[in-house]
Amino acid sequence: MSADEPDQPSEAVQRRRLTVAGVLSLVLVAVAAVVIGAVAGSAQGATSGSHASAGEGAVGGDPSTGATPRPAPSQPSAPAAVDTFDTTARSIDDPASIWVVVNKLRPLNPQDYEPDDLVEVPVAHTWAPLMRQEASDAAVAMFQAAADEADLYLASNSAFRSYSTQVDLYGDGSDPTTAPPGASEHQTGLAMDIGAENGCTFECLEDSPEGEWLRANAYRFGFLLRYPADKVDVTGYPHEAWHYRYIGVELATEMHDTGFTTLEEFFGLPAVPLST
């Protein structure tokens, strides 16, 4: 070699340098792998946490924050309806009770019972009607309401009948609409056969404006259509569109509101066969 050229390293030195460089390269690769793995693990953990929050949000949480809100208070359920009507408030056996139930299976006791507070009812009539004072007052109010509210004019065709009168009417019992003596509602002083002042009576009342008004409004004054057309097998009598029985506003309203149309069904009494 010339004097101005640098000394060239020996072959042994060159091999050492290559070895050192190779080792350093391997170390750097290993360190890089460790760093990359750590970064990837952190990212995966963050993603898992986000998914967990989203999952909570799916069951009521807030998917944007991961927070779970307090459950909304449930709406209180409506209280169950309680039947407060007292069916034992009045007797259904005492003939002096306005709730007395009289039919062919339940005659009056005594059978010749007669009310002690009968008064003449001051309404239009065929024969001068007598009723108990409370029932008379209610009938007057009902007749007046029909006139005031609907321009309809009612009339009484029959009201109180005594035991002896019922004996004469009953005869041989061939008329299914006539009750046996001692088992007639008319004897209680609480029943009235109602027609129209224009002469429409009995069967005519069914399809008349007066009959329609009575069916819709009688309960407001304490009266009950006693023998409905669809309850013949319960009351034991054919339908009588004209026969109304005073039972008081309280009971009449309760029956109207609950859908009962016969005293037998309301009080849980046996049905009365028509042939009895």
Side-chain angles (χ1 to χ4, degrees):
M1 291 184 292
S2 66
D4 55 354
E5 287 181 354
D7 295 335
Q8 296 295 322
S10 66
E11 185 178 347
V13 171
Q14 289 180 346
R15 283 198 298 268
R16 281 197 302 273
R17 287 177 178 175
L18 290 173
T19 301
V20 171
V23 170
L24 288 174
S25 297
L26 291 173
V27 170
L28 290 173
V29 170
V31 170
V34 171
V35 172
I36 293 171
V39 172
S42 298
Q44 183 176 3
T47 303
S48 299
S50 175
H51 288 170
S53 296
E56 291 168 1
V59 293
D62 185 342
S64 64
T65 64
T68 302
R70 295 179 181 177
S74 58
Q75 293 295 326
S77 57
V82 178
D83 185 3
T84 58
F85 189 85
D86 184 3
T87 59
T88 64
R90 297 176 184 266
S91 173
I92 61 173
D93 303 310
D94 181 355
S97 169
I98 63 170
W99 287 7
V100 64
V101 181
V102 184
N103 58 41
K104 287 177 280 190
L105 297 181
R106 294 174 55 85
L108 294 167
N109 183 22
Q111 288 194 348
D112 61 352
Y113 166 78
E114 183 169 318
D116 59 8
D117 60 344
L118 291 171
V119 297
E120 186 169 334
V121 188
V123 295
H125 56 268
T126 304
W127 292 281
L130 298 177
M131 295 186 82
R132 293 183 56 184
Q133 182 69 67
E134 182 178 344
S136 172
D137 293 343
V140 170
M142 183 167 67
F143 280 40
Q144 188 62 52
D148 294 342
E149 297 174 8
D151 198 28
L152 297 173
Y153 298 89
L154 305 175
S156 169
N157 294 315
S158 180
F160 170 74
R161 295 199 295 259
S162 67
Y163 178 85
S164 59
T165 298
Q166 200 67 23
V167 169
D168 295 337
L169 289 175
Y170 187 68
D172 60 3
S174 59
D175 182 358
T177 66
T178 302
S184 170
E185 287 201 324
H186 286 282
Q187 196 176 320
T188 67
L190 299 170
M192 177 182 281
D193 292 341
I194 303 174
E197 194 173 353
N198 63 15
C200 176
T201 61
F202 301 108
E203 285 82 0
C204 169
L205 192 68
E206 177 69 23
D207 299 318
S208 68
E210 290 83 1
E212 183 178 350
W213 188 91
L214 282 167
R215 286 191 296 274
N217 294 281
Y219 79 93
R220 295 165 45 199
F221 305 91
F223 282 90
L224 172 71
L225 175 64
R226 185 65 175 96
Y227 305 124
D230 61 341
K231 298 295 181 177
V232 173
D233 58 345
V234 174
T235 64
Y237 287 103
H239 175 45
E240 294 186 6
W242 57 89
H243 183 105
Y244 280 84
R245 156 70 192 277
Y246 181 75
I247 55 176
V249 172
E250 182 183 21
L251 177 54
T253 300
E254 178 71 10
M255 292 182 66
H256 175 270
D257 291 348
T258 55
F260 285 94
T261 58
T262 70
L263 294 173
E264 286 80 6
E265 290 171 309
F266 184 82
F267 288 110
L269 300 173
V272 184
L274 183 61
S275 59
T276 297

